[in-house]
Amino acid sequence: MSAKFVENVCVLGAGSTKYGKLDDSISDITVQASAAAIENAGIEPKEIKAGYISNVFGVADKQVHLGPVVMSNLGISERPSLSIESACGSGSVSFREAYANVAAGFYDAVLVTGVEKVTHTGTEWTTTYFSYCSDFFYEGQAGASFPGLFASMARAYLNEFDATEEDLASVAVKNHDNGLSNPKAHLRKKITIDDVMNSAVVASPLKLFDCCPFSDGASSVVICNEQFAKDHSKDYVKVIGSGRGGSPAALQGRDHLTTIPSTKLAAADAYKMAGITAKDVDFAEVHDCFTVAEVVDTEDLGFFEKGKGAKAARNGETRLNGSISINPSGGLKSKGHPIGATGVGQVVEVFEQLTGQSGQRTVNDAKIGLTQNFGATGASCAVHIFQSV
Ligand SMILES: CC(C)(COP(=O)(O)OP(=O)(O)OC[C@H]1O[C@@H](n2cnc3c(N)ncnc32)[C@H](O)[C@@H]1OP(=O)(O)O)[C@@H](O)C(=O)NCCC(=O)NCCS
C-alpha cells in the first residue's frame, strides 16, 4: 500500500444504538453500531480497511482492547485497529485520527466507532471513575467531581455576566424538546424552566436537569475518500474542517473559568481549514455536559459574543431553526452522554441532518454542520466541520 494525500474525506454512512441503560455487553453494542454504519454506507465489511474505536471505561464491563474484538465480530479480523481514550472527547479524537489516515491516503475507507457501558456500576462508582479523567492530583482526589467543576464555571459565569440560573435552565428545556424527536435519545421527556429550577441541587448552581445523565451507547461512522464515496453512489457528506486544541488540565491552571481555550484553538484551526467563519454554520452539535458548558461553547465557537450566550439561549436563538440550531439531536443533556461514543454520535447527527435522515428534528436548508466535543473540563477538544454535497 502506498500513501497518497487525498483532497476530500467524506462520511459515507452512520449508525447508532439507542442511548440509555442498555443490557447488552460493551462488545455487543459496539458491533451493533458498527454493523449499522456499514449497512447504512451500503458497503460490505471487507471494504473497511481499518478501525478506530474510542472508549474510556471498558474495564467496567470487562473488555478493553476493543478494536480487534469488533473487527473479529465483523469478520475482518485481519484489519488493523486502534483503541483510543481521550476522556469525554474520545469520539472526536478517534474521528480525527481516522480522518488523518484517510486524508494521508493510507486507507480508502475506515470505521470509527465510539462506545461506553457504565450505568451498571451505579452513580457513586461512575462518578468516581469519571473523576479519574480530571487532573486527579488537584481535582478528583480532592473530591471535585465533574458536576462540582462545572458548577465552579457556572458560578463564575453568573457572577461575571448578565445571566441567571433560569437562562441556563433554558438550555436544558431546549435540548429536551429536541430530544423528543430523537428515537435514540436517553431522556425523552418535555421539561419546563420551573422543572429545572425545582429539581434537586447537584452542585450549586447546577441542578439535576442542568446535568447530562450517565448513559450507555455506541455510535459509528464510515469515512472514506471522495472517489470511494462516489463509487458507492450514495449520499455522503464532506469533512471540510478539522481542528484540535488543548487547555491546562486542571481548572486552577486557567486564566478564566468562563471560556475553554481548547475549543477556541480547535475552532480557529477548523474554520481556517474550511475557509469559513462561524456565521456560515447552519447548526452545531456541541458538548453540553452541563447547561453552562453549552453556553460557553456557543461563545467560544464564535456564534455569540462573550457573555451573550446565556441570553441568546433564553431568547430562543439556539432552538431548532432559530438563528443557529444548537444540538438538534438533544445534545448530551437529552440524547445522553456515553462518554466514549459522544463525539462519534455528534457526527452521526450531522450526517443524518445533511443527508435528509433526521425527520422531525431537521434543520431547514442546512448545508454546513459543526461538531465540538471535549474531554474533562475542556482539557482537550476537537472541532469538525461538514458540508453537504
Ligand atoms: C446528575 C446525576 C448526579 C444524577 O444521578 P442520580 O441522582 O444517581 O440519578 P439516578 O441515576 O438515580 O436517576 C434518578 C432519576 O433521575 C433521572 N435522571 C438521572 N440523571 C438525570 C439527568 N442528568 N437529567 C435528568 N434526569 C436525570 C433518572 O432518569 C431517574 O428518573 P426515574 O426515577 O424517573 O427513573 C448524574 O446523572 C450525574 O452525575 N450526571 C453528570 C455525569 C457527568 O459528569 N458526565 C461527565 C461530564 S464531563
Side-chain angles (χ1 to χ4, degrees), residues 21 88 123 127 130 146-147 150 176 186-187 189 202 208-209 211-214 287 289-290 333 337 339 374 376:
K21 288 185 198 292
C88 307
T123 300
T127 302
F130 280 23
F146 280 111
F150 280 92
H176 273 252
H186 182 170
L187 298 172
K189 179 178 176 183
V202 174
L208 178 69
F209 283 111
C211 307
C212 67
F214 293 120
H287 199 92
C289 47
F290 299 91
K333 174 76 252 303
H337 185 22
I339 59 174
F374 60 67

Side-chain angles (χ1 to χ4, degrees), residues 185-208:
H186 182 170
L187 298 172
R188 298 184 72 199
K189 179 178 176 183
K190 186 159 180 65
I191 56 168
T192 63
I193 288 191
D194 280 349
D195 292 331
V196 183
M197 296 303 291
N198 295 328
S199 63
V201 174
V202 174
S204 177
L206 301 177
K207 296 163 282 296
L208 178 69

Side-chain angles (χ1 to χ4, degrees), residues 171-356:
V171 171
V173 172
K174 181 261 300 173
N175 286 346
H176 273 252
D177 278 352
N178 290 348
L180 278 174
S181 312
N182 185 348
K184 303 263 170 82
H186 182 170
L187 298 172
R188 298 184 72 199
K189 179 178 176 183
K190 186 159 180 65
I191 56 168
T192 63
I193 288 191
D194 280 349
D195 292 331
V196 183
M197 296 303 291
N198 295 328
S199 63
V201 174
V202 174
S204 177
L206 301 177
K207 296 163 282 296
L208 178 69
F209 283 111
D210 285 296
C211 307
C212 67
F214 293 120
S215 313
D216 305 324
S219 292
S220 185
V221 292
V222 171
I223 71 173
C224 60
N225 66 43
E226 192 165 15
Q227 191 55 55
F228 185 99
K230 282 184 174 155
D231 289 347
H232 290 79
S233 61
K234 167 115 177 23
D235 284 339
Y236 62 90
V237 163
K238 280 188 204 175
V239 187
I240 58 169
S242 175
R244 290 199 63 203
S247 311
L251 285 187
Q252 66 181 37
R254 306 202 191 156
D255 293 335
H256 302 283
L257 290 184
T258 54
T259 184
I260 294 180
S262 59
T263 299
K264 288 185 151 180
L265 293 165
D269 268 4
Y271 287 138
K272 188 170 171 203
M273 183 175 160
I276 65 164
T277 70
K279 287 192 176 52
D280 300 309
V281 176
D282 296 309
F283 70 99
E285 286 286 304
V286 308
H287 199 92
D288 60 319
C289 47
F290 299 91
T291 49
V292 65
E294 177 169 313
V295 168
V296 168
D297 297 340
T298 56
E299 297 173 3
D300 288 339
L301 291 166
F303 300 140
F304 303 108
E305 277 174 44
K306 195 74 231 150
K308 307 276 194 218
K311 282 282 177 275
R314 185 75 184 268
N315 294 338
E317 292 184 50
T318 57
R319 293 192 76 80
L320 189 65
N321 295 311
S323 65
I324 169 135
S325 304
I326 300 291
N327 283 327
S329 70
L332 285 58
K333 174 76 252 303
S334 164
K335 184 173 70 164
H337 185 22
I339 59 174
T342 290
V344 186
Q346 291 179 332
V347 181
V348 171
E349 177 67 16
V350 170
F351 177 78
E352 289 181 351
Q353 287 282 350
L354 294 178
T355 54

